[in-house]
Amino acid sequence: MENPKIKQLQDEYNLLDNEEDKINKLVEIALEVRNLDVERGFEMAEEIIERSEKVGYLKGKGRGYNLAGWCYWQQGNYEAGKDILEQAYLIANKVNDKPFLARVLNNFGNIYRDTGDLAEALSYFEKALAINESIGDDVAQSVNLSSIAYLHYDLNDYDNALEFALRCIPIFEKANDEHRLMSLYHILGNIYFKQEQYLEALRYFEENVTHANIDTMLHALAISGLGKVYYKMHDIDKAKQYLKNALELGKDLGNVEVQISCHFYQGRLEMDEGNYKTALNELREALTMAENHTRKHDIMSIHEYLSALYERMGDTPNAFHHLKTFQEIKEEIFKQTTLNKFRNLQARQEIELAQKEKEVAEKTATLKQQFMANMSHEIRTPMNAIVGMTRLLLEKEPKPDQMRYLNAIQQSADNLLVIINDILDLSKIEAGKIEIEKTDFSLSEMVQSVLDMLMLKCEEKGLSLKANLDKAIPNRLVGDPTRIHQILLNLAGNAVKFTEKGSVEIKATLQKTEEKKHLIRFDVIDTGIGISKDYVNKIFDSFTQAGTDIARKFGGTGLGLTISKQLTSLMNGNIFVTSELGKGTTFSVLLPLEEAKEQIAVSSEKIINDDTLKKLDNIRLLLVEDNEFNRMVAEDTLRSTVPNIKLDTAYNGKIAVDKVSVNDYDVVLMDIQMPMMDGVEATKNIRKLPPPKNATKIIAMTANVLQEDIQRYLEAGMNAHLSKPFQKDDLFLKIALMMDGKTEFPTTDKKDNAILSENLVLPDKVTDMEFLRTFTGGNPEKIKKYIGMFLQNGPVLLDTVKQSLKEKNFPAIKIAAHSLKPQLSYMGVKEEISNIFLIEQTAGEAVHVDRLLPLVQKLEKVCEKAFEELKAIHTN
């Protein structure tokens, strides 16, 4: 019965001193044990109740009652189960523990479902679901939804049953909840069985037979499921064998559901073969067990087949009696449930709508993540060749006109990469964390860069392209040149696209000056097709162009203006447009910028100095790269900078492993996506080689730059990461780092974390009622209502975060933080103060979980101050 999870929990239990902590851990152990051995689970429940009573631990006692109620349900002892769950329910209310209360309600629902009282069962499941929705517990909600799926199944509503069940699979998979996933597979097997999709049913039952521990309830249910599927598929020998094995195991485990199902289908098998006496004995055995445990659905089905059996035997009175009983029970169950369905229709529709919206959001997020990952790799691979070859050509003393073109290519590539990096950094974008830099830059150089990038297109179209800069504007300013460049390029690029003749002009004028702060207006003026009045007000909306005919003719995503508007707002500026159809358009951007202290540019020092290059002289390096262009770029870059380098190449991971095993290399530059064997697998194989080969430094050189990708490289044993397209200085600095015996992947300094926590200084006020006033239209009663809800829910969610951190339950932290995030936002607590989004993201990334402690400590102080401020408002 012992399994790794139970062993781990037992080890944790042995380290505890406090009795309440030990009881809580014992409950966790019992929750695992009960799935393997219901009897042992019940014994542990009794021990939990007894020990909790001794130390006066009320919640522990309640959890023991709830566990015992679950065990009674599994054993078919429904009255005892309801009695003991009543005790658990009273305690859950007394200690005001919502997750605990929801679990008790769900167990009540399970019992009422088994006894055929579907109306009462649905009532309990919906109450549990409402609680779990309020606290944002996705896993617990899915438990409730899978229970509701069974109710739809009982009502012969198999389509809805299937829909509810399938919703839960990704949640349980994400939570790595194997037992609940297998319980869900059992539901799905039964649904597909009823829909006569026997191969699908077989697949789910076989999945459970393979993964469920032998001699457990789930294993017994799975083989009984296989028995009835093979019966329907007319494979009688297999059906008999599986039903026989399942019945024996069901008796050993004392599982009522398995025994009734096996007797029932064995009876049907015997009836089909004309063995009516044996069939009657089997069906009567099933009926007796079903009546003893008040399982109305089973009683109803057995009466239906007893009627058919007596009819075949020529016993019309008994056939009529059982048929009448079958119809009466069916009417009772379905009438009761139908009334309940009407009563709860609106509530269920709201629940289903909320769930569907949630599913769409989750699916969209997943698709977005997949798209970003694919986009990253697909764009970065060719970009690596473009950037690398441009750099190599620039080093070969090109002619002045060639230099102009190459600089334009390089500038375009560099700006594209900056944009890609910010798009890929999802957490930064979604948290509103795009950082606006403040660096010195030359206004004239930046505008000239925009002109250079558009020059060729304008020459092709015969357009005049010019810039007009106000001489009163200082040449060197402080701001974010990349973002300003991006805005001007978007606007001027659109101007060129929509202008067939005439000119495009970028104009900069000084609007206002206060000391060293300047308000500068940028105008992008064209003589193009113009924008109609109908579209002027919509032009900054996402995916919008001036009509579908324009989109078809000129192409583009329609995102450029939206991005420009967002970036302008982030820089505390303003953007607007004036246009006349057929005459042209002017986009205007107002930006506040500071004057740079130094108006003469300071040349930057070389990052790669002579000392760095000395470290790399005679270095032995293996370049693993399957793409010919990228290999050429890397080889030429390495040889041109370090002429004495001993460079070897491999075209895939397998060749790389073979070469490392027989040659000595200082560093391996490892691509990731390669045929035969990828870079991750190759790294794992290198780490298995005998010393000192297994310690060879490996740098991941790849177009994959998402956090989860980098985490995989770390786990595989790589020492550093270099994104494609690589910058020359970055490449040699990473190699030099490896030669110094260092690793790039950072670790969090716990000492710094402690200092951060101790020296935390909060603003005088952490809440801001402005959003709530706007949201409620200034209604004082509504404001107090929402504050009251937050004061009720906030402390519970905060406690969940803190307790889950103690238990190292990172998925629970992520879920609680996700629920707390919008509530803090409603109360005007900003992300930079609470870091609640950062906590949510960090809890989902194993490589960063050591950062959680100071973040949660800060959150606790922020919440305490917020609670104090809001209580003052609420009581006034």
Side-chain angles (χ1 to χ4, degrees):
M1 185 187 73
E2 201 72 36
N3 67 12
K5 181 67 181 294
I6 294 174
K7 177 70 168 59
Q8 177 194 335
L9 292 170
Q10 189 66 54
D11 291 342
E12 292 171 5
Y13 173 87
N14 292 334
L15 295 174
L16 298 172
D17 296 322
N18 181 276
E19 178 65 359
E20 287 190 6
D21 290 340
K22 294 186 89 164
I23 290 169
N24 287 334
K25 189 60 65 176
L26 190 62
V27 172
E28 290 183 52
I29 297 170
L31 291 174
E32 293 296 323
V33 169
R34 72 179 187 179
N35 298 325
L36 305 173
D37 186 340
V38 177
E39 286 290 345
R40 177 67 187 126
F42 186 78
E43 289 169 7
M44 293 182 74
E46 290 182 317
E47 181 186 347
I48 290 163
I49 295 166
E50 183 181 344
R51 287 173 61 173
S52 297
E53 206 159 43
K54 279 184 181 177
V55 296
Y57 182 31
L58 189 59
K59 182 179 173 182
K61 187 177 177 182
R63 294 186 75 184
Y65 284 143
N66 189 46
L67 176 60
W70 186 93
C71 293
Y72 276 135
W73 164 54
Q74 287 296 316
Q75 294 169 328
N77 196 347
Y78 300 126
E79 290 307 314
K82 283 192 281 187
D83 288 343
I84 205 163
L85 285 175
E86 283 290 349
Q87 300 300 314
Y89 178 78
L90 292 172
I91 292 173
N93 275 309
K94 194 167 185 179
V95 299
N96 192 26
D97 188 317
K98 288 186 175 181
F100 174 31
L101 179 60
R103 291 194 293 272
V104 175
L105 291 168
N106 199 74
N107 283 338
F108 266 120
N110 288 329
I111 289 178
Y112 279 109
R113 181 205 161 239
D114 274 10
T115 55
D117 193 344
L118 303 190
E120 199 66 19
L122 184 58
S123 173
Y124 279 108
F125 289 145
E126 287 184 333
K127 287 175 186 174
L129 181 59
I131 292 171
N132 287 322
E133 282 182 328
S134 73
I135 61 179
D137 189 333
D138 289 346
V139 175
Q141 288 177 56
S142 296
V143 172
N144 305 141
L145 290 173
S146 59
S147 299
I148 293 172
Y150 246 138
L151 289 183
H152 283 290
Y153 170 84
D154 292 335
L155 291 165
N156 302 331
D157 183 4
Y158 304 126
D159 289 339
N160 274 322
L162 187 61
E163 182 185 343
F164 273 89
L166 290 174
R167 286 182 197 177
C168 306
I169 287 180
I171 304 297
F172 291 151
E173 284 178 341
K174 187 177 179 183
N176 199 25
D177 194 328
E178 189 175 335
H179 178 78
R180 285 185 174 133
L181 198 56
M182 287 193 290
S183 297
L184 198 60
Y185 287 165
H186 179 64
I187 297 173
L188 286 164
N190 280 323
I191 294 169
Y192 283 121
F193 175 75
K194 288 290 188 180
Q195 289 183 320
E196 298 183 358
Q197 297 185 44
Y198 299 127
L199 290 177
E200 278 297 297
L202 207 60
R203 181 166 71 88
Y204 282 106
F205 288 135
E206 284 177 339
E207 188 77 21
N208 278 0
V209 168
T210 304
H211 293 99
N213 290 333
I214 296 172
D215 298 336
T216 62
M217 174 191 65
L218 276 170
H219 193 264
L221 287 168
I223 58 177
S224 70
L226 289 177
K228 64 188 185 184
V229 173
Y230 280 120
Y231 163 69
K232 282 290 188 178
M233 294 173 71
H234 308 294
D235 191 337
I236 304 304
D237 290 339
K238 279 187 179 179
K240 285 182 177 179
Q241 189 59 51
Y242 278 117
L243 290 171
K244 179 185 174 184
N245 293 342
L247 182 58
E248 289 173 1
L249 184 53
K251 286 177 179 176
D252 291 341
L253 297 171
N255 187 281
V256 176
E257 182 180 349
V258 171
Q259 292 180 67
I260 293 172
S261 178
C262 289
H263 283 303
F264 177 66
Y265 279 98
Q266 283 179 336
R268 291 177 63 176
L269 271 167
E270 297 293 343
M271 184 169 70
D272 291 347
E273 292 181 344
N275 303 322
Y276 298 144
K277 186 175 181 180
T278 309
L280 189 58
N281 289 336
E282 292 287 351
L283 291 175
R284 280 177 174 170
E285 185 69 28
L287 182 61
T288 301
M289 293 192 73
E291 287 177 338
N292 288 342
H293 294 88
T294 329
R295 294 177 64 95
K296 286 185 183 177
H297 262 83
D298 291 333
I299 295 169
M300 178 184 71
S301 298
I302 297 165
H303 276 297
E304 181 182 17
Y305 278 91
L306 278 170
S307 174
L309 177 59
Y310 277 116
E311 187 177 354
R312 288 194 188 184
M313 294 169 67
D315 189 342
T316 305
N318 266 319
F320 178 75
H321 162 72
H322 285 289
L323 181 61
K324 185 179 179 183
T325 308
F326 159 72
Q327 289 173 335
E328 286 172 351
I329 297 172
K330 184 177 180 180
E331 186 179 343
E332 178 188 349
I333 291 173
F334 280 79
K335 181 181 179 183
Q336 180 187 40
T337 309
T338 303
L339 290 172
N340 191 72
K341 283 176 72 177
F342 279 107
R343 191 162 58 246
N344 291 289
L345 180 60
Q346 184 177 0
R348 277 211 315 282
Q349 283 178 330
E350 289 172 359
I351 290 168
E352 290 177 14
L353 179 61
Q355 288 296 321
K356 285 178 180 176
E357 287 174 348
K358 183 178 176 184
E359 282 173 31
V360 169
E362 288 174 350
K363 188 173 182 181
T364 301
T366 302
L367 289 172
K368 180 169 67 173
Q369 191 76 0
Q370 291 171 350
F371 168 75
M372 293 301 182
N374 292 336
M375 184 187 75
S376 167
H377 188 270
E378 294 304 321
I379 292 179
R380 285 175 177 276
T381 297
M383 282 295 291
N384 185 54
I386 293 169
V387 172
M389 289 182 182
T390 303
R391 184 182 61 246
L392 291 169
L393 286 170
L394 284 167
E395 292 173 359
K396 295 185 182 296
E397 300 181 0
K399 296 175 183 177
D401 59 332
Q402 293 173 333
M403 178 72 79
R404 187 180 175 195
Y405 296 144
L406 289 170
N407 283 330
I409 294 170
Q410 188 176 49
Q411 186 69 47
S412 299
D414 289 344
N415 279 285
L416 179 58
L417 287 172
V418 170
I419 295 165
I420 292 169
N421 286 335
D422 280 327
I423 292 173
L424 290 172
D425 193 352
L426 292 177
S427 60
K428 186 190 293 185
I429 292 171
E430 291 174 357
K433 285 283 187 177
I434 297 179
E435 295 180 6
I436 298 299
E437 294 183 359
K438 286 195 172 183
T439 58
D440 287 12
F441 70 97
S442 165
L443 178 65
S444 59
E445 288 177 9
M446 185 196 65
V447 172
Q448 185 59 48
S449 169
V450 175
L451 296 181
D452 288 344
M453 294 172 72
L454 297 173
M455 167 191 61
L456 292 176
K457 190 66 179 174
C458 286
E459 288 177 359
E460 284 176 14
K461 298 181 76 171
L463 300 176
S464 168
L465 178 65
K466 55 189 176 183
N468 185 353
L469 306 184
D470 190 337
K471 292 181 180 178
I473 301 173
N475 182 49
R476 297 198 67 80
L477 300 165
V478 176
D480 192 330
T482 302
R483 299 305 180 190
I484 300 171
H485 186 282
Q486 186 178 347
I487 292 168
L488 292 179
L489 187 60
N490 275 338
L491 299 178
N494 275 348
V496 173
K497 183 194 295 186
F498 296 116
T499 303
E500 296 301 324
K501 60 181 180 178
S503 65
V504 173
E505 179 182 4
I506 300 175
K507 188 176 178 183
T509 53
L510 184 62
Q511 297 289 293
K512 185 179 176 183
T513 296
E514 289 183 7
E515 297 179 353
K516 297 290 184 179
K517 296 180 180 178
H518 307 286
L519 182 65
I520 297 174
R521 173 170 172 158
F522 296 92
D523 292 306
V524 178
I525 308 161
D526 68 57
T527 57
I529 60 175
I531 306 167
S532 69
K533 291 181 181 179
D534 295 338
Y535 283 98
V536 166
N537 295 328
K538 303 175 186 177
I539 200 68
F540 293 108
D541 293 344
S542 297
F543 306 106
T544 298
Q545 291 182 336
T548 54
D549 54 334
I550 299 298
R552 280 195 300 271
K553 181 177 178 182
F554 294 98
T557 64
L559 280 175
L561 293 177
T562 307
I563 293 169
S564 298
K565 183 178 182 181
Q566 291 171 344
L567 292 175
T568 302
S569 297
L570 287 170
M571 289 186 281
N572 300 313
N574 190 22
I575 186 170
F576 51 93
V577 59
T578 56
S579 185
E580 189 175 345
L581 203 59
K583 293 190 175 180
T585 302
T586 298
F587 280 94
S588 303
V589 179
L590 285 167
L591 289 176
L593 298 167
E594 295 178 20
E595 184 176 332
K597 291 180 181 178
E598 299 290 338
Q599 287 299 306
I600 300 173
V602 179
S603 59
S604 58
E605 296 180 10
K606 284 180 68 177
I607 296 175
I608 298 295
N609 54 35
D610 292 338
D611 289 338
T612 303
L613 291 176
K614 281 179 184 177
K615 290 178 188 176
L616 306 182
D617 200 29
N618 292 310
I619 189 175
R620 298 162 299 178
L621 187 142
L622 176 64
L623 172 64
V624 189
E625 171 66 74
D626 71 312
N627 184 288
E628 183 182 354
F629 291 103
N630 289 338
R631 194 165 58 248
M632 186 194 308
V633 169
E635 282 189 55
D636 288 354
T637 302
L638 290 162
R639 292 189 191 281
S640 64
T641 305
V642 188
N644 295 326
I645 190 170
K646 293 179 175 61
L647 182 61
D648 196 1
T649 59
Y651 304 108
N652 60 53
K654 187 177 185 308
I655 297 172
V657 176
D658 293 340
K659 288 199 172 190
V660 172
S661 65
V662 295
N663 300 315
D664 294 326
Y665 299 105
D666 297 301
V667 177
V668 176
L669 290 179
M670 183 74 76
D671 188 29
I672 299 299
Q673 294 188 1
M674 297 180 290
M676 296 284 290
M677 182 185 289
D678 65 26
V680 172
E681 195 61 34
T683 299
K684 290 177 180 177
N685 286 327
I686 290 171
R687 295 302 179 224
K688 292 175 185 176
L689 294 174
K693 306 286 187 183
N694 63 343
T696 306
K697 299 292 185 181
I698 302 174
I699 300 174
M701 191 166 70
T702 174
N704 298 330
V705 295
L706 296 180
Q707 180 59 47
E708 56 266 35
D709 293 323
I710 297 172
Q711 170 65 11
R712 278 198 306 125
Y713 310 151
L714 170 64
E715 290 170 352
M718 295 186 182
N719 303 100
H721 168 264
L722 184 69
S723 64
K724 292 178 184 176
F726 63 82
Q727 296 298 319
K728 179 179 174 180
D729 288 346
D730 287 343
L731 171 64
F732 289 109
L733 285 172
K734 290 283 169 71
I735 296 173
L737 190 72
M738 299 299 101
M739 296 303 292
D740 286 338
K742 296 176 183 177
T743 183
E744 178 200 10
F745 291 115
T747 56
T748 303
D749 190 331
K750 293 182 180 178
K751 182 180 176 183
D752 289 348
N753 281 346
I755 292 169
L756 171 67
S757 179
E758 289 171 9
N759 297 338
L760 175 64
V761 178
L762 295 177
D764 293 336
K765 199 168 183 184
V766 298
T767 58
D768 183 352
M769 293 295 98
E770 188 57 38
F771 173 83
L772 208 53
R773 287 193 196 98
T774 305
F775 180 68
T776 61
N779 186 315
E781 290 182 7
K782 287 186 178 179
I783 291 173
K784 285 192 174 184
K785 173 189 170 185
Y786 285 111
I787 291 175
M789 289 170 63
F790 175 73
L791 289 174
Q792 182 179 2
N793 296 330
V796 175
L797 291 170
L798 178 62
D799 286 344
T800 301
V801 171
K802 288 160 57 182
Q803 186 61 32
S804 299
L805 182 58
K806 286 181 184 176
E807 297 170 356
K808 296 185 178 179
N809 186 350
F810 303 117
I813 298 173
K814 185 176 175 67
I815 290 167
H818 181 75
S819 298
L820 187 55
K821 179 175 61 179
Q823 297 185 34
L824 285 170
S825 176
Y826 291 151
M827 299 302 122
V829 182
K830 295 180 180 177
E831 165 64 20
E832 57 263 33
I833 297 173
S834 71
N835 292 133
I836 187 66
F837 180 82
L838 185 57
I839 290 171
E840 179 190 358
Q841 294 300 305
T842 304
E845 297 176 0
V847 70
H848 293 320
V849 293
D850 55 346
R851 300 179 185 177
L852 278 172
L853 179 59
L855 290 171
V856 172
Q857 288 174 339
K858 180 187 177 186
L859 176 66
E860 184 177 4
K861 292 184 179 180
V862 169
C863 285
E864 285 172 355
K865 187 167 174 57
F867 297 153
E868 184 182 335
E869 292 173 11
L870 294 167
K871 281 175 184 173
I873 298 171
H874 194 252
T875 52
N876 285 340

